Amino acid sequence: MKLIEAQTRIEKIAHIPFKDYLSARQIEDAMMKTNKGKTGQLLELTIGLNLSNTTLDFEDGELKTNKCDHNGKPLETMFITQIASIIDSLLSKQKFQNTKLYEKFQRLLYVPISKDGTPAEWMYLSPIMVDLSLPKYGTLAKQLETDYYNICGQLNRQLSESSNATLHTASGEFIQIRTKDSKPYHPIFSNIYGRKISDKNRAFYFKKEFMKYIISLED
């Protein structure tokens, strides 16, 4: 499925409470606190997208969902991708446009999820298509690239503090890296540094400023 088809399907259910088209069991599954991505998975199934472990959700891009209020104001940061498998490309400052990170958000469909009220009253809001190749998103694309290189530099500075220094939070204007893991934890090993550099896995996230910015472009 392509992003434009998904956007059309999501627009048909946007602003409609879950209770009007989902079963009680589906609503109960959506509110599972043990899996914050459950409402995103439910959306994929609702529009006819098969769940998979491929790099991208769609043929030509990624689906991203995030908790917001009924006006679309983001209430949380938004997960992008884990970094354990790409840590050395980050530490070596691989060209931004060649990274897995860039692949994950070069073209994406952002769907805010209003979770005001009971789960039966939750709803998906209007989807926003983001394509960093378009002039409309030129400023955003440049800032994301700047953030990426700044974060790579922060990681190297953190690890250069001592022979046993480890990673901690690194942030830019729109993206950041922080811990994302659960027991049993998954340490990160760097071939560049020849040692374990974090006792837990970490991930890139969009900060709330990213969602606010792309929403502002729709006004």
Side-chain angles (χ1 to χ4, degrees):
M1 185 184 299
K2 292 185 180 292
L3 286 173
I4 189 64
E5 182 181 354
Q7 183 179 20
T8 299
R9 294 186 182 189
I10 294 170
E11 285 172 345
K12 291 179 180 179
I13 59 173
H15 303 280
I16 300 176
F18 284 1
K19 63 184 178 182
D20 289 350
Y21 64 94
L22 295 178
S23 67
R25 177 58 183 273
Q26 287 175 313
I27 294 173
E28 183 180 350
D29 287 346
M31 63 182 290
M32 288 178 58
K33 293 183 178 180
T34 55
N35 186 351
K36 294 177 69 175
K38 195 70 177 181
T39 45
Q41 294 176 359
L42 181 59
L43 177 59
E44 293 179 18
L45 292 172
T46 301
I47 64 174
L49 185 68
N50 295 324
L51 301 181
S52 69
N53 293 320
T54 55
T55 301
L56 298 176
D57 297 314
F58 299 103
E59 296 175 38
D60 57 346
E62 184 82 343
L63 174 70
K64 289 295 179 186
T65 60
N66 198 56
K67 181 181 178 180
C68 68
D69 65 13
H70 68 283
N71 292 317
K73 179 182 177 181
L75 300 178
E76 298 176 341
T77 57
M78 186 164 65
F79 172 76
I80 306 174
T81 190
Q82 293 183 323
I83 71 167
S85 64
I86 60 172
I87 185 60
D88 285 326
S89 69
L90 300 177
L91 295 172
S92 62
K93 296 187 177 181
Q94 180 184 12
K95 184 179 179 181
F96 176 60
Q97 289 77 10
N98 295 337
T99 62
K100 178 182 177 182
L101 177 68
Y102 182 73
E103 183 181 8
K104 294 289 283 187
F105 58 52
Q106 179 183 8
R107 298 188 79 241
L108 65 86
L109 190 62
Y110 169 59
V111 184
I113 306 173
S114 171
K115 293 188 177 182
D116 283 357
T118 66
E121 298 169 307
W122 292 357
M123 64 182 71
Y124 301 109
L125 303 186
S126 298
I128 298 175
M129 181 85 77
V130 178
D131 186 339
L132 296 184
S133 69
L134 299 179
K136 175 180 179 179
Y137 294 105
T139 299
L140 175 62
K142 290 179 181 178
Q143 186 57 53
L144 287 168
E145 182 172 5
T146 297
D147 284 356
Y148 164 76
Y149 288 116
N150 283 343
I151 288 173
C152 290
Q154 290 177 47
L155 299 182
N156 278 299
R157 287 193 293 274
Q158 291 171 8
L159 297 175
S160 298
E161 292 176 355
S162 70
S163 59
N164 59 357
T166 57
L167 298 178
H168 45 91
T169 299
S171 295
E173 183 174 341
F174 288 132
I175 56 177
Q176 67 178 187
I177 286 177
R178 70 168 195 268
T179 301
K180 179 179 174 58
D181 209 352
S182 57
K183 293 182 178 180
Y185 295 131
H186 303 81
I188 298 176
F189 183 89
S190 167
N191 290 312
I192 290 177
Y193 283 83
R195 61 182 178 86
K196 184 174 70 174
I197 58 173
S198 177
D199 60 353
K200 298 177 183 177
N201 205 350
R202 294 175 177 272
F204 271 106
Y205 285 83
F206 285 118
K207 298 168 66 175
K208 287 185 279 188
E209 286 75 10
F210 172 84
M211 286 76 85
K212 291 176 182 177
Y213 184 84
I214 62 174
I215 290 171
S216 72
L217 295 179
E218 301 299 302
D219 295 337

